[in-house]
Structures are given as C-alpha cells and as structure tokens.
Amino acid sequence: GAGVSQSPSNKVTEKGKDVELRCDPISGHTALYWYRQSLGQGLEFLIYFQGNSAPDKSGLPSDRFSAERTGGSVSTLTIQRTQQEDSAVYLCASSLQGGYSPLHFGNGTRLTVT
Amino acid sequence: GENVEQHPSTLSVQEGDSAVIKCTYSDSASNYFPWYKQELGKGPQLIIDIRSNVGEKKDQRIAVTLNKTAKHFSLHITETQPEDSAVYFCAASKVNDKIIFGKGTRLHILP
C-alpha cells in the first residue's frame, strides 16, 4: 500500500521567504511526527500530533516554525522568514496509534536556503 | 526530557564479522527502544524494537539487548553483509509520547 508521502522532495528558497512542507501520512495512522535531519546529524524531534492536536511542540526551534494537521490526516510544516541554518532534510513519519507502534517515514523534503 | 547517546558515530567492519552499536538513555520511565536503518536518500526504516519488559530480542542476524538498570541498550548484527551498510539510529520513548533518536552510527561493511 501507499507509504508516507512528502512534498516537495526538494525545495530551494531565498533567505527571508516562507516555505510550506507537506506530509500525507498512511491512511488510518493517528500519530504523526516531524523531524529535522541536518547534514551528518541525527533526527531532531520537532513536533508530534495525535489526531489533530499537538500534545508536544517542544522541539520547534523558534516561533518561525509552526505545524498543523487537519482532518486527522495531512500535515503542513511552515517555516517563516527562512534562515540559512534552516537548511536540512525535514522528515515526516506516521504511526498507527503512537506509543509502541513503529514509525513509517517518508523520504523527506530537502530544504536549501540560499 | 529524554536524551539518547549513541556510539560509535562511525563503524567499519569486515564482511562476515559482527557489528555492535551502543546507546544510553536518560529517562528511567522510557519503556520502548526501537532501532532504525537509513539508506541514502530514504527515510529511516524500523529493523527491530524491544520493550522494557524483556532483556533481549533476536530476529535472524539482528539482536537487541536492554539493561534497564544501567539504561543501556545495544544492537548486534552478526555475519555482516554489504547490504548492511547504512546509518543506524537507536531511539527511546514512553508509550504515547514522542520518540527521541540518537545521532546515528554510519556502518561500513568492508569487502
């Protein structure tokens, strides 16, 4: 079946512009996660949704970052006034119910801020 | 909050030998420890996981051990093959909570 889909796969933007990254989770998965992976770095937790609510936003790096999820499905991660340090791969994952359910990752969006 | 440390950052082993990757976690309430494998250009994929009520779990050439007292857990790959070359991540979480990852280990299998 279809896996987690992220779009775009690559995004190049100028410093100061806003960007929106989209994640389509696996149908029926109630939990959705966003992670950031910088070059040679691990997976930095950004935000976690259970249904449409975000019980944990503690990983968002600054108030320029926001995320929403609608209809318990699609999620968008928005970065306002992008900076060069925002350049990274942004990974989305979904799981059946959170907790012990395995995460299914998309292939990520590679964001380059010039 | 939870913090996961992973070692080594890079590991090279001869094909056919074993590889061991070690992780420690800080939150004694964590009770779920998955391991993920990431190949180039792709998202990580779960390869094995263990819950805190068991000390060891094995799946063919892969095994994971957990020491709750020491807050250590390890991944063991035996009889390594070229396709095992990838980046491996350990992680820790509590049920219905965020999953925190280590910084990853790049594993090279040498011919």
Side-chain angles (χ1 to χ4, degrees):
Chain A
V4 175
S5 178
Q6 291 189 246
S7 60
S9 55
N10 280 284
K11 175 74 177 177
V12 180
T13 190
E14 291 181 352
K15 178 181 170 181
K17 301 281 189 184
D18 297 353
V19 295
E20 271 193 4
L21 312 180
R22 177 186 170 106
C23 174
D24 283 273
I26 293 172
S27 178
H29 281 195
T30 60
L32 186 146
Y33 305 75
W34 283 98
Y35 290 87
R36 178 167 71 174
Q37 186 171 29
S38 302
L39 189 62
Q41 297 297 308
L43 301 169
E44 177 189 5
F45 170 79
L46 298 179
I47 188 169
Y48 157 55
F49 288 92
Q50 186 61 256
N52 289 335
S53 65
D56 196 328
K57 303 178 183 180
S58 62
L60 293 177
S62 74
D63 59 8
R64 296 187 294 105
F65 287 72
S66 62
E68 65 175 15
R69 189 179 184 194
T70 53
S73 180
V74 172
S75 176
T76 55
L77 177 69
T78 300
I79 308 173
Q80 295 178 310
R81 305 180 302 282
T82 51
Q83 303 294 312
Q84 287 187 330
E85 61 262 28
D86 299 335
S87 295
V89 175
Y90 290 82
L91 288 162
C92 174
S94 68
S95 70
L96 196 55
Q97 60 184 23
Y100 298 138
S101 303
L103 298 186
H104 297 262
F105 281 88
N107 287 333
T109 293
R110 181 175 296 279
L111 175 66
T112 303
V113 182
T114 61
Chain B
E2 177 64 274
N3 182 51
V4 178
E5 299 282 343
Q6 182 171 349
H7 301 280
S9 56
T10 306
L11 178 61
S12 296
V13 300
Q14 214 67 39
E15 183 179 347
D17 288 351
S18 295
V20 180
I21 303 170
K22 299 183 178 182
C23 292
T24 61
Y25 61 99
S26 61
D27 188 347
S28 56
S30 288
N31 53 13
Y32 176 62
F33 307 93
W35 287 86
Y36 286 78
K37 176 183 180 182
Q38 186 177 30
E39 297 177 339
L40 197 62
K42 296 185 178 180
Q45 189 168 17
L46 179 75
I47 53 171
I48 194 168
D49 57 11
I50 190 168
R51 300 186 191 184
S52 60
N53 58 346
V54 298
E56 184 172 358
K57 183 176 179 181
K58 193 172 181 180
D59 182 6
Q60 298 182 341
R61 298 186 296 108
I62 294 174
V64 58
T65 59
L66 171 65
N67 181 331
K68 284 191 295 182
T69 304
K71 291 189 279 190
H72 289 176
F73 57 115
S74 300
L75 177 73
H76 304 252
I77 306 174
T78 59
E79 301 171 13
T80 51
Q81 300 170 4
E83 55 265 34
D84 295 331
S85 293
V87 179
Y88 291 81
F89 292 96
C90 62
S93 79
K94 300 185 282 287
V95 63
N96 293 326
D97 198 0
K98 60 181 179 279
I99 297 178
I100 300 299
F101 287 83
K103 290 197 181 299
T105 296
R106 184 171 298 276
L107 177 62
H108 299 277
I109 306 301
L110 306 172

